[in-house]
Amino acid sequence: MPALSDRIRTAGENLTQAGLDAIPSWLLTAGVTGWLVVGVALTLALVAWFFAYSASISIPLLLAIVIGMIAYPLCERMTDRGVPKSAAAALVLVLLFGIVGFVCWLVLTGVVSQWPAIVGQIQQGMANAVVELEALGIDATAITNAVDTARQTAASGGATSSPLTNGLLS
């Protein structure tokens, strides 16, 4: 007499085969596809939850991975030409920091050169916002008072004072 586990396995195989023959193939395909979509969606939701929960460590980690992927081919080429791996990595890091520094310099010089226009546009936008609020029937005196207080604090060298806020709010 066969063992109980063998009888259960045989009965399950017979039932599964009979059940699969009775189900149309399009329905099987749709069911499998549906469960795959649910699985992928749950996996993406889990990954998104993990990254949202651990953003303080996952963002720098992902940034390091991207930088490593970008720098790896250059390091490999340098090591193929006889440069030690540590020296190649150091040179690539210096190159990357140089590129980042150059881009920051370009952005800052652009902002500084256009600073008067930026200040004018912000002040014009604040004035337009007050006019729009008054057109809607909202009393904008509290907003105007807050802006005036911020200007006075920046001009008097308050705790939030910096060259940017002095130029922006004056």
Side-chain angles (χ1 to χ4, degrees), residues 93-157:
L93 279 176
V94 167
L95 177 68
L96 288 176
F97 279 124
I99 291 171
V100 168
F102 180 69
V103 168
C104 289
W105 176 77
L106 282 176
V107 169
L108 286 175
T109 56
V111 169
V112 168
S113 68
Q114 296 177 5
W115 188 249
I118 293 171
V119 170
Q121 289 177 355
I122 290 174
Q123 290 175 343
Q124 182 64 37
M126 291 185 339
N128 289 344
V130 169
V131 168
E132 290 295 324
L133 288 174
E134 289 174 348
L136 293 172
I138 299 172
D139 185 24
T141 57
I143 296 171
T144 306
N145 290 339
V147 170
D148 290 340
T149 302
R151 284 182 183 156
Q152 291 171 358
T153 303
S156 67

Side-chain angles (χ1 to χ4, degrees), residues 6-23 28:
D6 291 336
R7 286 187 298 175
I8 292 174
R9 185 178 307 118
T10 304
E13 289 172 359
N14 291 340
L15 182 61
T16 302
Q17 190 59 40
L20 287 178
D21 290 341
I23 300 173
L28 281 175

Side-chain angles (χ1 to χ4, degrees), residues 56-78:
S56 62
I57 189 68
S58 60
I59 291 173
L61 180 65
L62 287 175
L63 185 62
I65 290 170
V66 168
I67 290 172
M69 289 171 46
I70 291 170
Y72 180 76
L74 187 56
C75 285
E76 282 300 308
R77 284 188 184 164
M78 292 173 80

